[in-house]
Amino acid sequence: MRFGEMWRSFRRWPRGQRIGAAGLVLVLLAGVAVAVAALRDPAPRTEDVRIAVADGPARDQRVTIDATIYVPAGVDAGHRAPAVLVAHGFGGSKADVAADATELAKRGYVVLAYSARGFGASTGRIALDSPDYEVADARQLVDWLAARPEVQLDRPGDPRVGVTGGSYGGALSLLLAGYDQRIDAIAPLITWNDLGRAFFPNAATPNAAAPNAATPSSAAGAAPTDGVFKRLWAGLLFSAGGAARPASVGPGSSGSPGTAGGPPDPCGQLAVQLCREYQQTARTGRPTRALLALLRRSSPASVLDRIHAPTLLVQGQTDSLFPLSEADLNARGIAANGTPVKVVWYAGGHDGSGELAETDRLRDLVAAWFGHYLAGGPDPGTRFEYTRISPPRASDSSAPRTRTVIAPEHPTQPQHALVPLAGPAQTVLNPPGGNPAAISSLPGLGDVPALALSGLGTDLPGQAAAFESRPLNAAVAVVGSSTVDIVVASSGSEAVLFGKLYDVDIAGRAELPRRLVAPFRVTGLRPGVPRTVTVTLPGIVHRFDAGHRLRLVLATTDQAYAGPTDPAAYQVSLAAGTALAAPLVPGTPKPTGASPVWWLAVGLLVVAAAALAGGQLTRRLRPRGAVASRPELAGVPLVVEDLVKAYRGGLVAVDQVSFRVEHGQVCGLLGPNGAGKTTTLRVLMGLVHPTSGLVRVFGQVVTPGAAVLARVGAFVEGPGFLPHLSGLDNLTLYWRATGRPLAEARLDDVLAVAGLGDAVHRRVRTYSHGMRQRLAIAQAMLGMPDLLVLDEPTNGLDPPQIRAMREVLRRYVAPQGAAPGAAVRGEGATGRTVLVSSHLLAEVEQTCTHVVVMNHGRLVAAGPVPDLVGAGRLEDAFLQLLEQPSSSDDHRVMVAGGDQQATETR
Amino acid sequence: MIVGGRTALPLRVEALRQLRRRRTAFALGFLVLLPFILVGAFALAGPSNSQPGQTDLVDLATSGAVNFTIFTVFASAGFLLVVIVALFCGDTVASEASWSSLRYLLAAPVPRGWLLRQKLVVALGYSALSLVLLPGVALGAGLAFYGWQPVHTPLGDSYPAGEGLARVGLVMAYLAVWMLLVGSLAFWLSTVTDTPLGAVGGAVGLVIVSNILDAITALGSLREVLPTHYQFAWTDALGIPVQYDAMAKGCVGALAYSAVFLVLAWRHFASKDIVS
């Protein structure tokens, strides 16, 4: 449809509809404009910078740090803003934190994101957050920020600055805050407390002391010298640091690998001494003293007492590299100074990704923390938060899986639930070469469900001892590290075991929460002599449901750790009279957004709008201006007043037709095909809405479902029956559908008209066309209506039936007891009326008393049959009428004689 | 003798007109037969060969009467019940149009709005009957063949059978509200088209399209607006504890959509020229 036609059809709409459509379009456009404006945030200005720093113990090594500064819109020398230093994780660069930096800049901070030495485009070698190297670099970055005109200053040379970062960057935040008192707030994420203990964990302490008087997940400080080497993670990180850098490195960098054609350097970007110590450790599986000293220097544990910047500690629940205990130890050390500390445990971690990463929540937490301590915003408090993780829901795949729970504080003395375990003493074997080793998790894949790994040997036979509890009476929601006392005897002088706490459901399936294990080494044993140790299991947030069992498994091997290669046998059992102590930290869940109440409001709004729309539109359909009833026409069966029916596209089926059918007439409606007869009859039945004009039956205007139609019986355009019911059932149910009592139906008379005999009991789908036709006429006559409308009643009938029909129609209009034909002669005014439309002009001539002729939608003639026909035949008169050009001003109208009222000219 | 429109087309009459149709008998008959077909299939299948520790609704289906009922509902809620509800609601007006009996019914006179109301009520009645028939017969078959056992869920929880029965009632109540959406859509299409196949097929087709769009996870939270997003929210009623939020959202969404479709149906039918 071309635009011109669309415009013309639009112009033809009623005015109210036009205004409504235009208004709707305007509202939509306004909505789109508002949405576009709201979504466009002013982006911060970014600038790449190269900052020269000097580090090393003598501050003589020159290194260039590659950084990007993000300045928010509206911040300049006149309007200064606090600064945030963002550090990245191991193996990354400033590009990894670009999104976080942009988010912080949008909230109004000047952000400096940089690549640490040895990473990205920065020169130098990786020294693992050493105070002489990376921390010294960071202090000079703070100096650089103090010199920037956009940065707010507390004192000359002391900018208002916060530091944040994840993992490697988190430890940098803590160390920087310990070495540089200018730092005003820090937000370290998923980072370590003691790097030695992180890579050489030892979960057993010799004395079976009372359950810990410490934070929910704190490892009692077992010495890292006896720890079990976390070799998979160490190897991964070593490779990340050792990846050779592309050859385009600027001059002045120290130790760029492979430039002068020398032998390839296996250390890559790692600092030489660190690399050598690591290689030694990787060979033996036991740490060298020099390595432990290096790691200790790089650990916040050495400077916790000097940190006075308020600290937000976020740790991951799905993290086998730096578990929850690292954050708890940091928190204890920093809080001991009186510094405000907030501890948050979240669902992700080094092993968690996707939805568990809770990126938005972390950004909000960090922003709120800096908002208060750097910019004077509301106080976020120091309540302890952790996350409950639920398995994915089949019913609603987009439902969030994580739920934040807020406890009043990070408890130093949590309550414990004591769950007794039972099981015999068992012997487990450490295989020669440590092979095969059980797989508990793969780094970075901590969220893989147990089903996927079940085929990979999580607990190998002969290597694992299991101790189970009874089915729980009530659910136990563990928050933190559980402890249990066990007795170990070894065939050698030491024992290395891995403690795992499984959740066993009613069906017997075991799940290892977050796939975390607690490795421990007991040294100084004599062969065969048992020793009691307290094992601290990994920190978890997990709910053991009622009916589930807790299963403690002690295994001899784990793929991710370096166990002893010499074969050994250990005998393990539970210490008598002790139970597993599980810490509980009750809290209140944080309400999630988009509650059902909001939905209910929207739903009600939609329903209300729909009801309103429905009500408004149905009101439009009643004819306007017409008087519903004209009592003076109550005796006239049919009055058609100026009926017009025009269809879209220009076709006018009925054009200003007006005629009357008086009481007692058998009126024939004649016209060629397409004259508008059927349309007129459909308007009469209330099936078609006229464009203008109306039809009155016994004085009442006909609308769809008008009550006066009860006095009309119609047969138009063929029969319509339910094929699965018998003829009698069709008639009966049709009559009952009118709501009138069955006695009024005159069923016997009607069936006599149909003349079907026993066939009325057969299903209609077995009827022939003629039988259906007769039954349909019978249906029209149900109740003997005062106005009977028939369209081609003789279609498909054989000559005897046609004759019978003729008699039926004649008798129909005659009053009771009067002779047939009395009405034709105008005697008596009681009885019924028939309107017949037919092409069989001979029949019409014999049956009808009056005729109405239509052509091209217009009335051509109307009047008694004798007047129209004159001396000849109806057929000739009819064809002659059709040949005349019809115009609205010149209707050949027959003036009727006798009692009939005159039809008027238009 | 003019009778008020309110007594036209009584519900009994309309129900009788629909009852003796072949498709009514087939649909309801199939729902009665389905649980016994499943029992036969399980009997033929023998012990399940799924891995130990990996249970599914299918494996649990033979463990008790209520488990069997839950499995039957689960197997049929996705497509079969949708088709049956669309069939009852979508073919009621369109089939009258295709038989040419609609015009006589309207000229009886039955007011248009009243006709729609009565037909919708009867169609929903048959739909509700099918929603009751299926779990009822499944429960009976389950009782006969598997006994009255506690309910086990795939997640490992279990609760007594009486409580399970109450939860199944909750599930069917939710399905009744949700199926209203499908029925309303089919009913509206039934007033638009003259062929019953077009109405029923169109409704089922739109449900399928909505399911396909729901599988595109990249749409994120936009999927919550799709009508079939909460089609399986009733599974929340079977876990421990019962979570109502998804079901509540599903009900609200279904009612909102139903209101829109029904208004469209009424409006279209009221202003339409009946030419069938």
Side-chain angles (χ1 to χ4, degrees), chain A residues 338-664:
Chain A
T339 310
V341 176
K342 181 177 166 88
V343 179
V344 170
W345 291 353
Y346 81 110
H350 286 92
D351 296 334
S353 61
E355 189 194 350
L356 293 183
E358 293 195 88
T359 321
D360 291 330
R361 177 173 163 232
L362 293 191
R363 284 196 186 143
D364 289 338
L365 282 166
V366 171
W369 192 255
F370 287 149
H372 175 63
Y373 290 104
L374 298 181
D379 188 353
T382 55
R383 287 177 306 175
F384 171 46
E385 293 182 19
Y386 58 88
T387 303
R388 286 221 192 97
I389 306 169
S390 47
R393 266 162 68 165
S395 63
D396 184 359
S397 52
S398 61
R401 289 177 54 194
T402 57
R403 194 76 192 270
T404 307
V405 179
I406 305 183
E409 53 156 16
H410 188 226
T412 49
Q413 298 250 19
Q415 290 178 299
H416 286 79
L418 295 172
V419 181
L421 299 171
Q426 294 158 66
T427 305
V428 290
L429 303 170
N430 184 47
N435 196 19
I439 301 182
S440 58
S441 74
L442 297 170
L445 291 177
D447 195 32
V448 172
L451 295 158
L453 283 181
S454 64
L456 296 177
T458 46
D459 281 325
L460 298 167
Q463 290 183 15
F467 306 93
E468 266 189 26
S469 74
R470 300 255 281 278
L472 295 170
N473 291 339
V476 174
V478 176
V479 179
S481 307
S482 312
T483 52
V484 65
D485 295 339
I486 61 157
V487 179
V488 181
S490 167
S491 61
S493 65
E494 67 174 27
V496 171
L497 288 165
F498 299 88
K500 315 186 212 186
L501 184 63
Y502 283 92
D503 180 2
V504 183
D505 67 11
I506 297 177
R509 286 174 305 184
E511 181 199 349
L512 186 60
R514 308 287 101 207
R515 318 291 305 161
L516 295 171
V517 307
F520 60 95
R521 187 196 304 268
V522 186
T523 55
L525 290 173
R526 286 212 306 258
V529 174
R531 169 108 50 94
T532 308
V533 291
T534 304
V535 176
T536 307
L537 294 164
I540 53 172
V541 175
H542 187 84
R543 186 189 133 105
F544 295 85
D545 284 316
H548 288 211
R549 293 188 301 263
L550 274 69
R551 181 188 291 162
L552 171 71
V553 167
L554 298 166
T556 54
T557 60
D558 196 285
Q559 186 89 350
Y561 293 85
T565 50
D566 297 328
Y570 315 122
Q571 191 178 46
V572 294
S573 60
L574 294 168
T578 63
L580 184 135
L584 311 168
V585 181
T588 44
K590 197 165 154 192
T592 53
S595 61
V597 175
W598 183 85
W599 271 78
L600 192 65
V602 170
L604 283 176
L605 206 68
V606 171
V607 172
L612 203 68
Q616 285 227 337
L617 287 156
T618 47
R619 244 180 279 142
R620 253 191 26 202
L621 297 168
R622 295 211 197 100
R624 268 172 298 192
V627 180
S629 95
R630 302 232 332 239
E632 69 274 19
L633 293 173
V636 182
L638 179 63
V639 176
V640 177
E641 291 176 21
D642 294 332
L643 189 63
V644 177
K645 178 62 187 176
Y647 290 103
R648 269 196 224 157
L651 170 67
V652 182
V654 181
D655 192 358
Q656 293 278 343
V657 169
S658 305
F659 61 90
R660 287 163 75 127
V661 176
E662 301 291 345
H663 196 94

Side-chain angles (χ1 to χ4, degrees), chain A residues 1 90 93 96 164 274 349 406 456 581 604-605 607 660 780 826 852 872 892:
Chain A
M1 249 199 349
F90 200 85
S93 69
D96 300 337
T164 182
L274 183 66
I406 305 183
L456 296 177
L604 283 176
L605 206 68
V607 172
R660 287 163 75 127
V852 170
R892 288 215 32 205

Side-chain angles (χ1 to χ4, degrees), chain A residues 685-781:
Chain A
M685 286 167 76
L687 298 177
V688 166
H689 298 285
T691 311
S692 74
L694 43 85
V695 172
R696 287 188 193 275
V697 171
F698 296 107
Q700 311 277 344
V701 174
V702 169
T703 54
V708 73
L709 286 174
R711 295 174 74 179
V712 176
F715 169 69
V716 174
E717 277 192 304
F721 292 110
L722 277 60
H724 54 282
L725 297 176
S726 72
L728 183 61
D729 284 334
N730 261 290
L731 289 182
T732 324
L733 280 176
Y734 179 78
W735 183 253
R736 284 171 65 189
T738 64
R740 290 151 72 179
L742 203 56
E744 287 179 24
R746 308 272 288 273
L747 211 51
D748 300 323
D749 299 334
V750 154
L751 286 175
V753 167
L756 292 171
D758 275 338
V760 289
H761 298 293
R762 290 207 323 251
R763 300 211 186 165
V764 168
R765 65 163 64 96
T766 63
Y767 287 7
S768 69
H769 177 71
M771 293 164 75
R772 287 184 211 216
Q773 188 89 355
R774 298 205 307 270
L775 189 65
I777 295 172
Q779 180 180 286
M781 286 188 183

Side-chain angles (χ1 to χ4, degrees), chain A residues 800-881:
Chain A
Q801 292 167 344
I802 294 177
R803 186 169 168 184
M805 191 58 52
R806 208 184 309 153
E807 284 305 310
V808 163
L809 292 183
R810 281 212 195 120
R811 273 203 304 273
Y812 196 78
V813 299
Q816 301 285 358
V824 179
R825 294 191 295 274
E827 297 159 14
T830 57
R832 299 173 278 252
T833 314
V834 175
L835 178 63
V836 180
S837 168
S838 179
H839 285 308
L840 298 180
L841 297 177
E843 276 301 310
V844 170
E845 202 168 352
Q846 292 186 53
T847 321
C848 297
T849 61
H850 292 72
V851 212
V852 170
V853 183
M854 288 176 66
N855 191 15
H856 296 312
R858 296 223 168 103
L859 186 73
V860 173
V865 169
D867 297 353
L868 199 72
V869 168
R873 293 184 306 164
L874 180 61
E875 184 184 353
D876 301 324
F878 177 69
L879 290 172
Q880 201 178 5
L881 282 171

